[in-house]
Every structure is written in C-alpha cells, then in structure tokens.
Amino acid sequence: GGIGLLYSLTDFINLAGSATIGFRSPSLEERFYVGAVPGGALLMGNPDIKSEESINYEAGIKMRYSNFSGNITGYYNRIDNYILMAVSNEFVNTFANKGKVEIYGIEGNFDYQISQKYSVFSSMSYVRGEDKIGKDPLEGIPPFKTILGLRYSKDNINLLKNGKLWAEICAKVYAKQNRIPDEWTEKQKTPAFTVYDFRMGIDIPSFNFFKGASLTFAIENFTDKAYKSFPMICMHGWDDSIIQPGRNFLITLNLKTL
C-alpha cells in the first residue's frame, strides 16, 4: 500500500511525490533454478530464501510545454532481506538475502522539439546502493548513465498511406564504476565507455486487416565498441569480466490486428 500526491504548480509544471510499502516474493528461478551461467559457474536456486520487504519514497517534477517536456525524479528505497546472487564457492553461485540495504538515486528524461521534423532527447540515471549491515557498497549497482540523441520525424507520407517515417541516432554514455564491496577484486571495476546506436522505421496507421503496423531497423553499437558491463560482472562474481556483444543488427515488424 501507499500514498501519492500531485500538485499543479502551473499549467505546465506538476510536482509529484509518493510513499509506499512493498513486498516481493522470490521468483521460481531464485528458489529452484539449476543450470550453468556464463563464465562456467553453476547457478543453484535457494528454496529457503526469504521475501523482500521495502519502504519506498519518491519525489519529482514534471514539465510539459508546446516544444519541451521533461521530468526529474529522486527516490529512496530501504529494503530488508534484499535478494541478490551470491558466490557459494569457486564453481557454484546461488541466491541469498542481504539483511538491510538502501538504494537511492535520481533519474530524468528530456525532449526538445527543435523544428517540425527535428528534436533532441536525453535521459540520465544515477543510483547508489549501500549494505547497511556490512557497511559496504552494494554489488550489482550500475554506474551513472546518460543518453543523448537526435531524432528526425516526417508525418503524412503518401506512399505509406499517411504513415510516419522516423530515424534517430544516440550516444549512451556510462561513467566508470569503482564503488564495489571490499571482497571484490580490482578486475571487477569497470572503466567509462560510450556506445552509439542508430534506429529508423516507418509507422502506418492502418491498412487491409491491420489496425496499424510498424517496421524498425536498428544498428546497436554501430562503432563496434568493446566494453564490459558492470552489473553482469557483479551479479556473477567474475574476476575475468566478459566483453559485451559488438555491432548488432535488428529488424522488427509489429502488426496490430483489428
């Protein structure tokens, strides 16, 4: 349960806040999964794992104008019996409860319409986690991340039955992550890195038997950057971190039926 408040400061700016009490039961994977994970270790579920209980606070500001929209939200979560992956021994990982933890941070999204066809967008996320019993940084917490992008959009394309053509390019910028528990090694710290993505697509309102359709083409990490993902390293406790996938091509077709 919880409570939420919304206050309109002006016609374009709203203030919001909430306080909630949360509960999360362990998933089937966390209780009973048995199998290999990347890196060669065996992952075994823990049937005796306890449920998480949390108190969550959130406050933020939301803005919407004719050519600009954005929001900034800060949050604080206090969690008892926090569930995380733990190293049982050199070859076996399992799930365990971490007594009391705090997770807090700030996130935001912004979009500015430069002209009828072009807009810029950005998002950011910063989070910290603390083990209140062990007095350690909490493992598995991602570093500061921001996304900066440029989008092109054109409506009413006659060849596509009044459809929409769009394209965007963005940079995903990750800071270095040096906040790790004392038992982790230097190899589990990650340097800063930036990857670039490109996407384009067409959206069609309706045709034939379909209420709508969209076709999307994407190139993720199109510069083929080699980088290491901090959350994966910490979740599995690998000293030899795994290089993430390089350039990736995607084609997606979505059809909405009547």
Side-chain angles (χ1 to χ4, degrees), residues 160-172:
L160 299 175
K161 296 183 178 181
N162 298 321
K164 176 181 178 180
L165 172 68
W166 61 270
E168 65 181 40
I169 185 171
C170 70
K172 297 178 180 178

Side-chain angles (χ1 to χ4, degrees), residues 175-186:
K176 64 182 179 180
Q177 181 58 286
N178 291 329
R179 297 191 76 252
I180 60 174
D182 290 340
E183 64 266 24
W184 293 98
T185 70
E186 288 294 317

Side-chain angles (χ1 to χ4, degrees), residues 3 8 23 58 98 106 123 132-133 143 206 223 234 243 255:
I3 185 173
S8 294
F23 174 89
E58 186 175 291
K98 178 86 70 173
I106 186 171
S123 67
K132 302 306 292 182
I133 295 179
S206 62
T223 60
C234 286
I243 300 296
L255 299 173

Side-chain angles (χ1 to χ4, degrees), residues 45-240:
N46 180 359
D48 299 321
I49 200 167
K50 299 177 182 178
S51 298
E52 292 180 350
E53 298 178 355
S54 64
I55 299 177
N56 315 294
Y57 303 96
E58 186 175 291
I61 180 171
K62 299 180 180 180
M63 300 161 284
R64 180 170 292 276
Y65 295 86
S66 59
N67 61 348
F68 172 80
S69 63
N71 65 80
I72 301 175
T73 302
Y75 58 90
Y76 169 84
N77 304 322
R78 190 173 70 220
I79 308 172
D80 292 340
N81 298 322
Y82 182 70
I83 299 173
L84 78 169
M85 192 175 293
V87 179
S88 183
N89 58 53
E90 184 177 357
F91 302 105
V92 179
N93 294 342
T94 188
F95 293 97
N97 292 111
K98 178 86 70 173
K100 296 180 182 295
V101 307
E102 291 180 352
I103 298 176
Y104 52 93
I106 186 171
E107 56 189 20
N109 295 277
F110 306 94
D111 194 300
Y112 178 70
Q113 195 75 32
I114 301 173
S115 66
Q116 185 176 2
K117 296 181 181 179
Y118 291 94
S119 63
V120 292
F121 60 91
S122 175
S123 67
M124 56 81 70
S125 176
Y126 175 73
V127 59
R128 288 174 71 100
E130 308 287 346
D131 175 2
K132 302 306 292 182
I133 295 179
K135 306 298 181 182
D136 253 351
L138 187 64
E139 56 262 44
I141 300 297
F144 173 80
K145 172 187 176 182
T146 185
I147 297 176
L148 304 170
L150 173 67
R151 181 184 297 116
Y152 168 85
S153 177
K154 184 177 181 180
D155 295 325
N156 301 321
I157 301 175
N158 293 329
L159 292 177
L160 299 175
K161 296 183 178 181
N162 298 321
K164 176 181 178 180
L165 172 68
W166 61 270
E168 65 181 40
I169 185 171
C170 70
K172 297 178 180 178
V173 184
Y174 294 80
K176 64 182 179 180
Q177 181 58 286
N178 291 329
R179 297 191 76 252
I180 60 174
D182 290 340
E183 64 266 24
W184 293 98
T185 70
E186 288 294 317
K187 291 183 179 180
Q188 286 158 326
K189 296 180 179 180
T190 53
F193 65 90
T194 302
V195 294
Y196 300 90
D197 295 344
F198 171 79
R199 290 181 173 82
M200 66 177 299
I202 54 174
D203 299 329
I204 304 173
S206 62
F207 70 99
N208 295 337
F209 302 104
F210 299 102
K211 187 176 181 180
S214 64
L215 177 65
T216 303
F217 169 74
I219 307 175
E220 297 178 339
N221 189 12
F222 62 76
T223 60
D224 206 23
K225 173 76 173 181
Y227 66 96
K228 301 174 183 178
S229 171
F230 179 83
M232 288 187 64
I233 298 169
C234 286
M235 281 180 64
H236 299 291
W238 301 325
D239 281 333
D240 297 322

Side-chain angles (χ1 to χ4, degrees), residues 15-50:
L15 303 179
S18 66
T20 61
I21 297 175
F23 174 89
R24 186 179 81 84
S25 297
S27 66
L28 290 176
E29 178 187 41
E30 290 166 340
R31 286 183 181 274
F32 305 112
Y33 179 84
V34 177
V37 294
L42 178 67
L43 176 61
M44 298 186 65
N46 180 359
D48 299 321
I49 200 167
K50 299 177 182 178

